[in-house]
Amino acid sequence: MKREFKFGDKVVTLSVLDSGVDWTTTGQDVWPAADVLCHYMADCITNQIPPFGKNLSNLKALELGAGPGLCGLYLSNYCKLTVLSDGDDIVIKLLKKNVEDYKSPNVTVCEKLEWGDDL
């Protein structure tokens, strides 16, 4: 299933897994907090409010527990590098599909990362 999110002039369309899927993992859909955070970032960017209102083009972003990747993909429109990660194999497959479909040149890493792993 596809879900579309609009923040300012940016649209992020994501594949998510529907409720008939095994919900033992939490990263298969977009949590409401991710939508709220993206609206906050968009408002800060539009109105030049720190911390997101400054020039982000030289910054790098890391999203831990990215799920389908809404926040990281949105932020990839502005940052020089965006790294997306999650700890679940099913979610990583979904996340990699969304990264491929979104085609942001600023997402260069999408990997599985579990709490406690050495980097």
Side-chain angles (χ1 to χ4, degrees):
M1 157 173 33
K2 294 273 191 187
R3 292 185 63 192
E4 184 175 283
F5 300 86
K6 185 168 176 25
F7 310 106
D9 64 343
K10 305 294 184 204
V11 175
V12 180
T13 303
L14 299 173
S15 292
V16 297
L17 301 179
D18 68 41
S19 59
V21 182
D22 176 15
W23 284 101
T24 58
T25 179
T26 57
Q28 298 175 6
D29 200 354
V30 175
W31 285 50
D35 187 39
V36 170
L37 177 58
C38 287
H39 279 288
Y40 170 74
M41 290 188 292
D43 187 51
C44 289
I45 289 166
T46 300
N47 296 303
Q48 296 294 299
I49 301 168
F52 298 103
K54 60 183 182 175
N55 182 355
L56 302 176
S57 63
N58 290 321
L59 297 181
K60 299 173 186 173
L62 167 63
E63 185 175 12
L64 299 170
L70 178 63
C71 295
L73 289 173
Y74 171 68
L75 207 51
S76 74
N77 291 291
Y78 303 99
C79 293
K80 148 169 113 172
L81 167 69
T82 307
V83 177
L84 304 175
S85 69
D86 205 281
D88 184 88
D89 291 325
I90 293 170
V91 175
I92 286 295
K93 184 177 177 182
L94 176 66
L95 181 57
K96 285 183 176 184
K97 178 185 181 347
N98 285 331
V99 167
E100 183 180 305
D101 291 349
Y102 195 65
K103 295 177 177 45
S104 173
N106 300 328
V107 177
T108 57
V109 179
C110 176
E111 294 295 330
K112 182 175 180 179
L113 178 63
E114 292 186 19
W115 296 108
D117 282 355
D118 290 332
L119 297 178

